[in-house]
Amino acid sequence: MCGHCCSAPLLDQVPVSLIPCLDSKVTMEAGGLPLELWRMILAYLHLPDLGRCSLVCRAWYELILSLDSTRWRQLCLECTECRHPNWPNQPDVEPESWREAFKQHYLASKTWTKNALDLESSVCFSLFRRRRERRTLSVGPGHEFDSLGSALAMASLYDRIELFPGVYEEQGEIILKVPVEIVGHGKLGEVALLASIDQHCSTTRLCNLVFMPAWFSPFMFKTTSGHIQFDNCNFENGHIQVHGPGTCQVKFCTFKNTHVFLHNVPLCVLENCEFVGSENNSVTVEGHPSADKNWAYKYLLGLIKSSPSMLPTEDSDSLMSLDLESRDQAWSPRTCDIVIEGSQSPTSPAATSPKPGSKAGSQEAEVGSDGERVAQTPDSSDGGLSPSGEDEDEDQLTYRLSYQVQGPRPVLGGSFLGPPLPGASIQLPSCLVLNSLQQELQKDKEAMGLASSVQGCLIRKCLFRDGKGGVFVCSYGRAKMEGNIFRNLTYAVRCIHNSKIVMLRNDIHRCRASGIFLRLEGGGLIAGNNIYHNAEAGIDIRKKSNPLILCNQIHHGLRSGIVVLGNGKGIIRNNQIFSNKEAGIYILYHGNPVVSGNHIFKGRAAGIAVNENGKGLITENVIRENQWGGVDIRRGGVPVLRSNLICFGYSDGVVVGDEGKGLIEGNTIYANKGCGVWMMSSSLPHVTSNHVSYNGLYGVAVFSQKDGSGEFPGGHGAQENFSEDGDAILWEPELEKDDDPLRRPVTIALVESNSINHNGASGLYVQSSEALHVVTNVIHANGDRGITVAQSGQLTRVTNNSISCNRQSGVKVEAQCKVELRGNGIYDNRGHGIITKGDSTVVIENDIIGNRGSGLQLLPRSDTKVIKNRIHSFRAYGIAVRGRAKALVQENIIFQGKTSKTIFQQISNNRECILQNNKFLVFKKNKTSATNFSQHQSSVTQLLGPLNSDTSSSQWPSPLFVSQHPSP
């Protein structure tokens, strides 16, 4: 290379006979010279001499290796054919080994001559063998030739042509017919070549030159079948074109407003290059790699495999260190728990927002303005009323009936979620912990195959900056990009028309549009990249594109992190997506990705937004601390949302907006400052088997803008603008047949089998003009009522739920509501069991036991049917009728509390309240303190008809109407 020009004056003072006998460090020092002095002497050796010395013995070999930071570094930096090994991305960072870096460049610089070995068996090789030394032809003023063209006319196979400093302008196209090496003499920039070169030979190398296009053609260089190697060159304002089966190898080159066009190339390597100021694409890779391969293909492939791998290892798989001043430093790629920040729980009194119908100081009042009883005692440890807690007196224990309260279920791998205390942490189950890229590749053999493959164009350790486009891959093209930086471009990478890209550990930032753009069935692997501060989406997937997006960091974007639209697909797995201005992942216009195992946090909008008929399978993600809903579903969005942790949001956990649909199943929705689940007008979701707890407002809220003012508490219900592109309203996707078995048709919004507990307001709040089914839920220990139905234009069915230990009534039905309560267990609530003003309320086959107020309170102007219920209140009445309420009370079994209380209370003489075939049972205490129930004869018996014989409590089974259902 270049080291042969160095002098070594100190070697003249060392006896040559001394060198061979030095077979150990001891003999070196015994010979009279310490190791430090030997290193100083050897630092003057030429490169060939260093090689000879390393062959003396092992001690000398190790001594030569120890010169890495001195002589090897000097050789590497002084070489005019290469630059700093980490140029242009990290020129201030030293390589792990200067010797290894120098070796890699030396081997790469000889690739163009490898086919000389293939000529041994050819007829023309005899001509080559006669000339043992290549000729060097000098071009320049005062030298053998005055132009490149004249030197090429006299050149033979593998001759070296040196251009001395100056500007060389060729007036016609230069055709290379024999393999030659053209090298600029002196420093880079001293030799400028204005030419258009067409390579017709098998191989060529150009080094240390500044290329500019000739006046008659924009093409500076082109080849169709041979191999071209560029080292340490500058290209300005022109084009380079390589057609398959031609190959090229480019290293340490700068391209200023230059377009590299690769068409059907089987293999091309661009390494340690800088692309600046492009007016179009810097690199275009077009067409499927040619099946015909030239002689250089196998050598390039071997060189790639022998160079240090960019694939991650367990030791190296860490966050990229490029420009990370804006990164969320509290998050690591292997976070196993979530630390709770802030000073108070969102369900604490100071953090809970006012709720409709609530009154200041209502917890201290014995009876509210509407007759709703509220307990005076403070919360127990779990936020609810335990049936055997310390505040129960001996009489209550004596008169207690047999029933079972359904409490919270374990979540997150079998643990219970308690109140979110500041500084505490949530231990994540293994399915929610982020894996390293190496772990993901080991699990996914297809991904590992993509990451290891080399086909088409390999772009490695390059810098693309301050231009329009980076890399454009089209028409079945193949490209692999490793360790590059893309910055201040319009876009970094575009992949279209059935092309495939592999992107590993690139840094993409400050693009004026999307960072990575895929459309028209583009695909490939996008893994381990750092994508941030882009003006549009970090990754944009459209038109049936289907990439694998794995272990990336996508953050601080001015719009969404990832957007999937127009029948786009893709697998989005194990990424960190945070601090984006719009949704972390945005799915619309029939986009249908699989989103799993990601951590999506601290976004300024929704964590995931599904809009405009978007779909998607969204599973096992951690979605936390987002400004809007953790997941936002609107306008025909129909995702499957399953087994996610949605927590610590500054608004709601899940928002199902206007015409939103989808399956929301098995999620943990925890400690959001708004509601757990917020459902709005015309939405038809299926909300099932979720754990909704410790949210600041309602556990589940159902609101409708129809027939209402359109104003919701807490500023909810606004129609956020998620438009990702200016032409979104003009997008017309090609519709695909919807045969997804995961999405069964739902004609009525369904809230089923959820655990809704410890939320700041009601467990379920309904203010809707549409039908709703509430089935087999556990609604426990919420800060207001268990269920509040404030508006129900169509029938709301509440069936087979366990409603227990809530701070106020179990169920409250406001005026003009249509509600059916069937088969529910309503236990231990601190107000009434059920309180209703509704004009069409059916209460049938419920178990209403142990509530601190009346079992059932019927308010004036209500119209209620109470049929076949078991009702007991220890402190108040079984049924209380206030004012002129219309009621049919039929075939119920109603137990008396303490003997000083009556079973049934009717305040006014109301003939519209009809009682038929009920059983009123009173307490009797015998001498052995055994408690029996007997029928109570009173003034109401004339309305009841004949009663049967006494019925003891032991003859009544444990709760009849509480459904056992699995934990979500």
Side-chain angles (χ1 to χ4, degrees), residues 702-772:
V702 183
F703 278 85
S704 173
Q705 290 181 333
K706 296 181 179 180
D707 305 325
S709 63
E711 297 182 359
F712 303 114
H716 298 269
Q719 295 296 316
E720 293 89 340
N721 179 16
F722 286 119
S723 178
E724 180 69 30
D725 298 280
D727 60 344
I729 59 175
L730 303 178
W731 188 268
E732 295 181 359
E734 298 175 5
L735 298 181
E736 291 184 330
K737 182 179 179 182
D738 188 2
D739 55 358
D740 191 342
L742 296 176
R743 298 175 177 87
R744 69 181 188 183
V746 175
T747 57
I748 297 176
L750 177 61
V751 180
E752 177 186 26
S753 301
N754 302 282
S755 177
I756 305 171
N757 63 87
H758 296 93
N759 298 286
S762 296
L764 172 65
Y765 187 91
V766 181
Q767 184 179 320
S768 173
S769 59
E770 296 157 1
L772 173 68

Side-chain angles (χ1 to χ4, degrees), residues 466-485:
D466 304 321
K468 181 178 180 181
V471 180
F472 179 47
V473 188
C474 61
S475 302
Y476 296 89
R478 300 289 186 270
K480 183 175 184 179
M481 288 153 271
E482 296 181 340
N484 305 287
I485 294 179

Side-chain angles (χ1 to χ4, degrees), residues 577-837:
I577 304 172
F578 60 95
S579 299
N580 296 287
K581 190 172 182 180
E582 294 188 2
I585 298 176
Y586 185 42
I587 306 168
L588 71 165
Y589 296 117
H590 300 273
N592 192 16
V594 176
V595 182
S596 65
N598 303 281
H599 285 207
I600 305 170
F601 57 100
K602 294 189 177 179
R604 294 171 61 184
I608 299 176
V610 186
N611 210 331
E612 304 294 351
N613 300 304
K615 301 178 184 177
L617 174 60
I618 303 169
T619 65
E620 296 182 349
N621 302 280
V622 176
I623 304 170
R624 66 179 179 94
E625 297 176 83
N626 296 286
Q627 293 290 336
W628 292 358
V631 178
D632 195 299
I633 306 167
R634 299 174 189 264
R635 291 190 285 275
V638 56
V640 173
L641 185 65
R642 178 177 292 148
S643 302
N644 302 279
L645 172 60
I646 305 171
C647 60
F648 304 114
Y650 295 100
S651 184
D652 307 308
V654 178
V655 176
V656 186
D658 186 28
E659 299 181 3
K661 302 177 183 177
L663 174 63
I664 303 170
E665 180 182 19
N667 303 282
T668 300
I669 305 171
Y670 172 74
N672 299 283
K673 290 190 175 180
C675 301
V677 179
W678 182 277
M679 297 159 54
M680 289 191 285
S681 61
S682 303
S683 62
L684 293 173
H686 182 187
V687 183
T688 179
S689 303
N690 301 283
H691 186 97
V692 185
S693 63
Y694 292 100
N695 298 286
L697 294 177
Y698 310 108
V700 178
V702 183
F703 278 85
S704 173
Q705 290 181 333
K706 296 181 179 180
D707 305 325
S709 63
E711 297 182 359
F712 303 114
H716 298 269
Q719 295 296 316
E720 293 89 340
N721 179 16
F722 286 119
S723 178
E724 180 69 30
D725 298 280
D727 60 344
I729 59 175
L730 303 178
W731 188 268
E732 295 181 359
E734 298 175 5
L735 298 181
E736 291 184 330
K737 182 179 179 182
D738 188 2
D739 55 358
D740 191 342
L742 296 176
R743 298 175 177 87
R744 69 181 188 183
V746 175
T747 57
I748 297 176
L750 177 61
V751 180
E752 177 186 26
S753 301
N754 302 282
S755 177
I756 305 171
N757 63 87
H758 296 93
N759 298 286
S762 296
L764 172 65
Y765 187 91
V766 181
Q767 184 179 320
S768 173
S769 59
E770 296 157 1
L772 173 68
H773 288 180
V774 183
V775 183
T776 61
N777 301 280
V778 175
I779 303 174
H780 176 80
N782 295 286
D784 198 358
R785 306 172 190 92
I787 297 177
T788 300
V789 184
Q791 177 186 338
S792 179
Q794 297 187 40
L795 182 62
T796 297
R797 295 181 183 272
V798 182
T799 307
N800 294 335
N801 302 278
S802 174
I803 306 168
S804 62
C805 301
N806 297 286
R807 187 182 294 271
Q808 295 191 27
S809 299
V811 179
K812 183 174 182 180
V813 180
E814 295 288 357
Q816 299 180 347
C817 292
K818 299 178 181 178
V819 179
E820 178 184 297
L821 298 164
R822 180 187 293 268
N824 302 283
I826 304 173
Y827 306 127
D828 291 333
N829 297 286
R830 297 197 174 189
H832 305 295
I834 299 173
I835 181 169
T836 177
K837 299 178 183 178

Side-chain angles (χ1 to χ4, degrees), residues 244 368 457 486 944 959:
C457 179
F486 300 83
L944 301 179

